[in-house]
Amino acid sequence: LTLFQWSMGCLALLLTTTMLTGCNGSKAFVKRAKKMEEAGMMPQAADLYYTAVMKKSTNVDAVIGLQRTGQVVLGQHIAKFDEGVARNDRELAIGAWADAEAWQNKCADVGAALVFPEAKRSTYESVKNAHLDATYQQANILLEQEQFAEAQLEFDAILALDPNYQDAQDLRTVSYCEPRYREGVQAQKSELYRTAHRHFSDLLGTDATY
């Protein structure tokens, strides 16, 4: 290649890189977000504004756009929570509330402050406590029936909402360890020592005092 050809090639590469950067820059995402917002597609618009802020935290238009559309998205999550409460669908309500809190935190992390309806928190706590109560009772029934895997799932659901709920952690340990203990004992009786060792090791890795 001649020096001229090499120089032209470098210039073309530089122009292409600049164009790609411009197409994928913060301002470009704001433009796309505005079009989505005008079309009433608020979740998509909010996601694009969020991306714009992530690309350039000082892009004021992006932050303001995220606050504006993000508040609408937060309202949609809360509306879904209200629907769950009205239908007495506790799982729907709790899931929607979790989505609302996660969304608010996500926006706050990039400087977009949303107004959370704290007045509804007492309603959420009532729904959550009722759900914990019902799930705890069901988990205990399953444990008594020695349906260990099913009981473990219920205790996991409880602990995800409240890690300190009553003795759920201890009962979750039983639901996990007891079947492995029994399988280990049975394998040992059948002289399947490697299998027994695997079960007992698994058990002791969860609770060394079981």
Side-chain angles (χ1 to χ4, degrees):
L1 292 175
T2 66
L3 180 60
F4 175 75
Q5 290 174 320
W6 181 81
S7 299
M8 291 301 293
C10 290
L11 179 60
L13 179 61
L14 178 61
L15 288 173
T16 301
T17 303
T18 302
M19 288 174 65
L20 288 174
T21 302
C23 291
N24 294 310
S26 182
K27 288 184 178 179
F29 277 96
V30 168
K31 288 181 180 178
R32 291 167 58 189
K34 286 181 178 178
K35 289 181 180 179
M36 290 292 184
E37 187 177 359
E38 289 168 0
M41 302 171 71
M42 295 303 179
Q44 294 87 340
D47 285 338
L48 288 168
Y49 280 125
Y50 178 84
T51 301
V53 175
M54 289 296 291
K55 285 184 171 291
K56 188 176 181 181
S57 60
T58 57
N59 188 332
V60 177
D61 288 339
V63 175
I64 293 174
L66 179 57
Q67 285 181 320
R68 184 173 58 248
T69 57
Q71 191 67 51
V72 175
V73 173
L74 179 62
Q76 291 173 346
H77 288 311
I78 295 301
K80 196 171 182 180
F81 166 75
D82 290 337
E83 178 188 349
V85 173
R87 289 167 45 185
N88 198 30
D89 186 337
R90 291 192 293 264
E91 289 188 4
L92 175 63
I94 290 170
W97 187 269
D99 289 341
E101 288 190 321
W103 176 247
Q104 182 199 28
N105 292 333
K106 181 178 179 178
C107 291
D109 287 343
V110 295
L114 306 182
V115 179
F116 199 89
E118 289 296 333
K120 293 180 180 287
R121 189 169 293 278
S122 60
T123 301
Y124 165 71
E125 291 296 334
S126 297
V127 171
K128 184 184 78 169
N129 290 335
H131 184 65
L132 286 170
D133 241 8
T135 306
Y136 182 77
Q137 292 179 30
Q138 177 63 16
N140 274 279
I141 291 172
L142 291 168
L143 189 59
E144 289 173 4
Q145 295 173 346
E146 299 189 352
Q147 298 183 47
F148 298 113
E150 293 81 357
Q152 183 186 330
L153 289 174
E154 296 295 333
F155 286 123
D156 283 342
I158 291 170
L159 295 170
L161 276 177
D162 185 350
N164 301 311
Y165 189 79
Q166 297 191 33
D167 57 350
Q169 182 60 66
D170 292 336
L171 295 177
R172 193 270 181 195
T173 298
V174 172
S175 67
Y176 179 85
C177 291
E178 183 60 22
R180 286 158 179 78
Y181 173 75
R182 294 184 184 185
E183 289 168 1
V185 169
Q186 186 58 47
Q188 186 176 12
K189 288 180 180 178
S190 301
E191 299 183 357
L192 300 172
Y193 298 117
R194 287 186 179 180
T195 300
H197 183 270
R198 185 176 70 251
H199 286 307
F200 290 142
S201 295
D202 189 16
L203 187 158
L204 293 173
T206 299
D207 184 353
T209 64
Y210 193 80

